[in-house]
Amino acid sequence: MISHRPFTSSVFIGTSLDGFIARADGDIDWLTSRGEAAGDTGYHEFMDGIDTVVMGRATYEKVLTFGADDWPYGGRHVAVLSTRLEAGADPRVTVYRDLDELVRGLSARGTERVYADGGQVIQSFLRAGLLDRLTITTVPVLLGTGLPLFGPLGGDVALTHRSTRDLGAGLVQSTYTIDR
Ligand SMILES: NC(=O)c1ccc[n+]([C@@H]2O[C@H](COP(=O)([O-])OP(=O)(O)OC[C@H]3O[C@@H](n4cnc5c(N)ncnc54)[C@H](OP(=O)(O)O)[C@@H]3O)[C@@H](O)[C@H]2O)c1
């Protein structure tokens, strides 16, 4: 458990009803196609309050497939957690090898509000006590298998439900804060 940090961390993610954020091969077309049919998901408003994006190597590699001209994070600091990605290869991101190094680095930068993205990153943030808020958009599809949003924890994580709204097209978005 990492006890001291000057920033808050939030998740904003879409999942299948059975809790997968991507197919096993990383495909998210089932999400994007349904998301386009929904109304405003609140993503832009959420991003307006974020100064730093932390993602796992797998999510970073997915973002790279969007194309060089389609970097979705503007001038925000982008941190990629990876034990094997070459540091310094992409000037748009900073690679951190583990959570301790990440927390030290973000703290030194004066980070205030983090967006944590990628299933394994979210799971490791939860285990380390680094998450404060979860906004989860549930998409009306069962995938049966894939990359899970959640996984094993050191113990129960108690949440407080803050809101739920119907986004249209069968998408339902709920926000929870993590009890301390
Ligand atoms: N549905 C959605 O809204 C949504 C959102 C984001 C992503 N996605 C999709 O989800 C998939 C990726 O999710 P994922 O769960 O497989 O992976 P991920 O969390 O994006 O990346 C996993 C990798 O990140 C590194 N990592 C994670 N935690 C770490 C830690 N504490 N310390 C050091 N390194 C750490 C490791 O990289 P190394 O192996 O290099 O050590 C690990 O293999 C992609 O297909 C992406 O498109 C979907």
Side-chain angles (χ1 to χ4, degrees), residues 14-27:
T15 81
S16 63
L17 183 59
D18 50 353
F20 298 108
I21 60 167
R23 295 189 197 276
D25 64 0
D27 171 58

Side-chain angles (χ1 to χ4, degrees), residues 77-159:
H77 182 57
V78 177
V80 179
L81 272 164
S82 174
T83 57
R84 49 190 148 131
L85 202 63
E86 188 190 339
D90 182 346
R92 298 171 300 185
V93 309
T94 304
V95 176
Y96 295 91
R97 299 295 179 205
D98 57 37
L99 290 182
D100 286 329
E101 188 182 305
L102 176 79
V103 171
R104 274 198 307 277
L106 297 192
S107 301
R109 291 180 57 87
T111 300
E112 294 180 357
R113 288 181 301 272
V114 166
Y115 169 22
D117 206 19
Q120 290 185 39
V121 162
I122 292 165
Q123 292 167 35
S124 60
F125 264 53
L126 278 168
R127 285 192 294 271
L130 283 174
L131 264 192
D132 301 286
R133 194 176 191 88
L134 291 157
T135 296
I136 298 175
T137 302
T138 307
V139 174
V141 62
L142 300 170
L143 298 181
T145 185
L147 304 177
L149 172 55
F150 296 118
L153 297 166
D156 290 358
V157 174
L159 309 169

